[in-house]
Amino acid sequence: MENAFLTVFRASLLETFYVTGYLILVGLILGLLENRANFYTQGAFGRKGILVTSWIGTPIHEFGHLLMCYIFRHKITKFKLFSSKAKDGTLGYVNHSWNSKSLYQNIGNFFIGMGPIFSGTAALVIGMNLLLPDSFARVADYLTLEPSQPDKYIMTKIFALTAGLFQSIFSVENLISLNFWIYFALAIAISSHMALSKEDLKGAGRGLTTIFTFILLVNLVALILNANFSGLFANILDLNVYILAFSMISIVFSSIRLVLSVFAYYLV
């Protein structure tokens, strides 16, 4: 029985990674890119360099938190989508409370913390669909998922998507199009403020613990009843692979912003 419990425990850790790991990975990558880009941008232009993009990116960031609060039934006590005059430099915030006895609301802490990844990625995808529909259609071709082989998909399709993004977005046709440059400016502004703050990660961590506990309990019930609940978590993994694939758009533009900020730092 002890060996069976250890097997369930390890499986639960792995399934927790399947459910949350890709979102956390995207958040960490975006955080690294944004922190370095902010360093060079402030060095070149001061705080005004951050404010140039924040009036678009910050409201989308905070809207992600706000939307997840509504979905997971948290009580919103106070929020501000954007403020450029805060003395402590805070550009926006969402304060919320929840019922600590509610499983649903506790799990929600993770998705509320990760909210900017959802809202920012959605804004980038919608913007591409509206302003660069041909590019969006070509990128979508790289998102053919093989549910029975998610590991193979992750190893191959994500890299293919990144290459496809560059090829489809930065095509010759787009470079001479006004819509491309509008989208380029919007994408830089949005991706510049998608990274998660320390408070975001702290809140997500509270939800992550609850998610692991829930998965562990489900698997223990499956062990006792000799049932199989793995299909649920496999489906969630498939969904997260799609989210990760679309998130490559934000990572691409965050990388571009970092490169531009480095050039500005050394040239200005």
Side-chain angles (χ1 to χ4, degrees):
M1 184 65 181
E2 182 178 351
N3 290 335
F5 177 79
L6 289 175
T7 299
V8 168
F9 185 83
R10 294 192 191 99
S12 299
L13 283 175
L14 183 60
E15 288 171 342
T16 301
F17 174 77
Y18 284 165
V19 173
T20 65
Y22 302 118
L23 293 174
I24 295 173
L25 178 62
V26 170
L28 292 176
I29 293 173
L30 289 174
L32 177 63
L33 292 172
E34 182 174 319
N35 287 337
R36 296 312 301 165
N38 284 347
F39 171 81
Y40 290 113
T41 299
Q42 288 187 324
F45 305 108
R47 189 166 184 266
K48 292 181 180 179
I50 304 297
L51 293 177
V52 167
T53 57
S54 62
W55 67 278
I56 294 176
T58 299
I60 293 175
H61 177 110
E62 300 303 335
F63 178 75
H65 292 312
L66 197 64
L67 179 60
M68 291 296 111
C69 282
Y70 281 117
I71 290 175
F72 287 93
R73 301 176 62 188
H74 282 220
K75 181 179 179 181
I76 299 169
T77 55
K78 190 177 181 181
F79 75 92
K80 186 176 288 292
L81 294 181
F82 177 67
S83 174
S84 60
K85 300 179 180 179
K87 294 181 180 180
D88 62 356
T90 301
L91 297 173
Y93 59 86
V94 176
N95 296 335
H96 58 100
S97 60
W98 65 96
N99 181 1
S100 60
K101 297 180 181 180
S102 169
L103 175 65
Y104 182 70
Q105 291 186 30
N106 275 288
I107 288 176
N109 279 314
F110 175 79
F111 294 96
I112 292 168
M114 295 288 164
I117 294 177
F118 298 119
S119 59
T121 300
L124 290 172
V125 171
I126 292 171
M128 181 185 291
N129 191 24
L130 293 175
L131 293 170
L132 304 173
D134 292 338
S135 295
F136 177 81
R138 287 195 294 270
V139 169
D141 291 339
Y142 289 89
L143 297 176
T144 303
L145 182 63
E146 299 176 33
S148 61
Q149 295 178 305
D151 292 334
K152 179 181 178 181
Y153 173 81
I154 295 170
M155 295 298 293
T156 58
K157 294 293 185 178
I158 295 301
F159 292 107
L161 173 65
T162 305
L165 278 171
F166 278 103
Q167 183 178 1
S168 62
I169 295 176
F170 297 96
S171 64
V172 175
E173 295 84 355
N174 283 343
L175 290 175
I176 60 176
S177 167
L178 176 61
N179 279 0
F180 166 80
W181 293 106
I182 294 174
Y183 180 73
F184 183 86
L186 291 175
I188 291 293
I190 294 168
S191 62
S192 296
H193 299 274
M194 282 180 62
L196 307 176
S197 67
K198 291 182 179 179
E199 285 300 314
D200 295 341
L201 292 171
K202 182 179 178 181
R206 287 192 292 263
L208 182 61
T209 302
T210 305
I211 290 172
F212 169 72
T213 303
F214 172 71
I215 291 175
L216 178 61
L217 290 175
V218 169
N219 285 332
L220 285 173
V221 171
L223 175 65
I224 294 171
L225 299 179
N226 196 26
N228 182 8
F229 290 87
S230 61
L232 170 64
F233 302 116
N235 291 335
I236 294 175
L237 171 61
D238 293 345
L239 175 62
N240 274 354
V241 170
Y242 275 116
I243 293 173
L244 177 61
F246 278 117
S247 295
M248 291 304 299
I249 299 173
S250 60
I251 292 174
V252 165
F253 278 99
S254 291
S255 301
I256 293 172
R257 187 218 173 196
L258 174 58
V259 172
L260 292 176
S261 66
V262 170
F263 276 115
Y265 181 81
Y266 287 106
L267 293 178
V268 171

